[in-house]
């Protein structure tokens, strides 16, 4: 057997048509050892390509037995699966091509949130097409076509079916809580987010899939799909990083290390290291920016995209003229130690 890209044993939810709604992988594996791949392949009946193989009870006990001498963690998972009545799956990814099934897409989202790959580190093309839109409830994932019946059933047994959200992505923390993070409002971080150690996400913070933080950092603003925030950066309350999924350029936005996006600020260009954007200032790629010398004279006027990725810049909107200005950032921020030392 050739080297696999990824492998995961998962337990998930089917709708009444036996289609996958979601899959939970307790310990997804990136680049599994040849031995683990071979043993799992034999027990599950896998031969080649990217496949999600539904497991029956016999395959699960075979896996538990055969994996015991190869991989204690995976063996323990297989053993714990033995008594479950839930749909079980072994997902094998021979390569990192675009996901074709719901279990494949979920495995890739898990790789990101388990910090096994960085944002942009896996191919997610076409993922929206294989992720069903689901009602996420206190009774788990429910197919929207079956929701009203389940709501009625719950009411008739004197219960309330609580629908937290209706979305293609569940919240990350119901699948994994990576070490060393604080997340004040868990619904605001989607599965597929990469949250680096030492990151604090306050209530206004939001992190989309295939996006995240290197950590440590303080996130009180929105990290859109594809955006990565470097070490020691602070996203102030309600600030915005422009996404690339809709209606805009295709520049991938990023924030370097030691940056501060002020409250209600926004960026449509990538920032280098130690940059500050004044509270309330939204810089888009085409914003005309007056570049100031240390004595305050205007040196040149450029489009903000020309300053993309450059370090040690401070952007502000002059409060009297309204001109957007950029000068050397002399006071790069230091994260509040008090806030971070208890992560
Ligand atoms: C842009 C920012 C970093 C500037 O702060 P700073 O470097 O400490 O600058 P200061 O406020 O000390 O001002 C220095 C000088 O620049 C001037 N200045 C500052 N901002 C200005 C503006 N927008 N227009 C004109 N002049 C301005 C000040 O008046 C002062 O002038 P002076 O020397 O003549 O008195 C700050 O205003 C800011 O927006 N911080 C973001 C904080 C934030 O939102 N944190 C997240 C919380 S959730």
């Amino acid at each position: 057997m050739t080297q696999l890209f990824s492998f995961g044993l998962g337990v998930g939810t089917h709708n009444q048509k036996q289609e996958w709604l979601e899959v939970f992988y307790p310990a997804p594996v990136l680049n599994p050892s040849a031995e683990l791949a071979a043993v799992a392949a034999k027990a599950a009946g896998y031969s080649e390509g990217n496949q999600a193989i539904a497991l029956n009870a016999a395959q699960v006990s075979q896996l538990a037995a055969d994996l015991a001498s190869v991989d204690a963690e995976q063996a323990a998972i297989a053993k714990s699966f033995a008594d479950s009545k839930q749909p079980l799956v072994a997902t094998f990814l021979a390569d990192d091509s675009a996901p074709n099934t719901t279990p494949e897409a979920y495995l890739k989202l898990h790789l990101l949130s388990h910090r096994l790959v960085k944002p942009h580190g896996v191919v997610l093309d076409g993922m929206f097409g294989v992720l069903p839109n689901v009602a996420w409830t206190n009774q788990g994932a429910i197919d929207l076509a079956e929701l009203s019946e389940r709501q009625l059933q719950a009411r008739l047994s004197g219960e309330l079916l609580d629908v937290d959200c209706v979305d293609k992505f569940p919240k990350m923390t119901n699948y994994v809580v990576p070490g060393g993070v604080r997340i004040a409002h868990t619904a605001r971080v989607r599965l597929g987010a990469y949250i680096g150690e030492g990151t604090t996400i306050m209530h206004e913070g939001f992190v989309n899939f295939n996006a995240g933080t290197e950590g440590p950092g303080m996130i009180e603003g929105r990290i859109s799909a594809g955006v990565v925030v470097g070490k020691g950066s602070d996203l102030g309350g309600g600030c915005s990083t422009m996404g690339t999924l809709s209606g805009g350029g295709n520049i991938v936005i990023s924030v370097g290390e030691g940056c501060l996006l002020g409250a209600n600020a926004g960026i449509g260009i990538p920032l280098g290291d130690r940059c500050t954007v004044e509270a309330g200032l939204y810089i888009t790629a085409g914003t005309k920016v007056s570049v100031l010398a240390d004595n305050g004279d205007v040196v040149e006027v450029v489009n903000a995209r020309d300053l993309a990725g450059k370090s040690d810049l401070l952007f502000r909107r002059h409060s009297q003229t309204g001109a957007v200005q950029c000068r050397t950032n002399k006071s790069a921020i230091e994260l509040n130690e008090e806030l971070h030392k208890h992560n």
Side-chain angles (χ1 to χ4, degrees):
M1 145 125 10
T2 50
Q3 175 77 50
L4 287 180
F5 171 67
S6 180
F7 168 74
L9 290 172
V11 50
T13 311
H14 277 167
N15 64 11
Q16 286 170 1
K17 295 182 195 155
Q18 308 307 309
E19 295 160 335
W20 290 104
L21 295 180
E22 56 87 47
V23 181
F24 168 69
Y25 296 97
V29 189
L30 180 70
N31 302 323
S33 70
E35 220 183 350
L36 168 58
V39 167
K42 187 158 174 269
Y46 165 81
S47 56
E48 59 181 4
N50 292 352
Q51 275 189 57
I53 299 174
L55 298 172
N56 59 34
Q59 286 167 315
V60 168
S61 48
Q62 186 74 50
L63 268 168
D66 293 355
L67 286 172
S69 60
V70 176
D71 188 314
E73 186 179 38
Q74 298 298 317
I77 291 169
K79 197 160 175 245
S80 72
F81 279 10
D83 300 324
S84 176
K85 301 272 178 293
Q86 288 299 114
L88 304 169
V89 67
T91 301
F92 297 81
L93 299 184
D95 59 44
D96 183 24
S97 48
N100 282 316
T101 63
T102 308
E104 284 175 40
Y106 268 81
L107 181 53
K108 290 190 164 187
L109 294 174
H110 278 70
L111 292 178
L112 283 156
S113 291
H114 278 258
R115 299 185 187 139
L116 294 169
V117 295
K118 295 261 173 83
H120 306 285
V122 276
V123 176
L124 299 174
D125 298 355
M127 183 178 55
F128 281 80
V130 296
L131 291 179
N133 194 19
V134 163
W136 302 97
T137 78
N138 59 331
Q139 293 180 13
I142 298 180
D143 191 315
L144 293 179
E146 297 161 19
L147 184 61
S148 55
E149 185 191 325
R150 293 281 294 271
Q151 284 172 318
L152 177 60
Q153 277 171 16
R155 292 287 179 158
L156 293 174
S157 16
E159 288 163 9
L160 175 74
L161 184 70
D162 195 8
V163 180
D164 295 320
C165 71
V166 178
D167 193 7
K168 285 179 177 263
F169 294 79
K171 59 181 173 186
M172 180 190 78
T173 51
N174 283 356
Y175 292 76
V176 55
V177 178
V181 303
R182 287 198 287 141
I183 302 175
H185 188 350
T186 54
R188 296 184 58 93
V189 180
R190 280 169 135 187
L191 182 64
Y194 178 107
I195 311 297
E197 187 165 358
T199 302
T200 294
I201 302 170
M202 295 305 290
H203 301 76
E204 278 296 301
F206 165 78
V207 189
N208 213 331
F209 69 94
N210 201 27
T213 60
E214 297 275 0
M218 170 58 75
I219 307 301
E220 302 185 67
R222 297 189 302 277
I223 302 182
S224 303
V227 175
V228 178
V229 176
K231 275 186 206 144
S233 286
D234 185 340
L235 266 56
C239 78
S240 151
T241 53
M242 210 183 266
T244 49
L245 291 178
S246 61
N250 46 14
I251 317 178
V252 176
I253 306 302
S254 58
V255 176
E257 298 184 2
C259 292
L260 168 64
L261 283 192
N264 283 349
I267 52 166
I269 58 164
L271 295 182
D273 298 332
R274 300 170 302 280
C275 291
T276 298
V277 181
E278 183 186 36
L281 170 60
Y282 208 119
I283 310 165
T284 59
T287 300
K288 301 285 184 213
V289 182
S290 301
V291 179
L292 304 187
D294 280 352
N295 65 3
D297 289 350
V298 177
V299 181
E300 58 177 339
V301 176
V302 298
N303 287 330
R305 64 168 64 83
D306 299 327
L307 300 170
K310 298 217 160 91
S311 296
D312 299 298
L313 300 180
L314 181 142
F315 294 89
R316 70 175 191 195
R317 183 182 296 281
H318 194 279
S319 56
Q320 291 183 305
T321 66
V324 176
Q325 301 177 325
C326 171
R327 64 170 173 78
T328 305
N329 194 10
K330 294 187 182 124
S331 54
I333 60 134
E334 278 176 26
L335 281 177
N336 184 335
E337 285 226 354
E338 191 56 31
L339 290 172
H340 288 278
K341 70 185 178 194
H342 300 298
N343 268 331

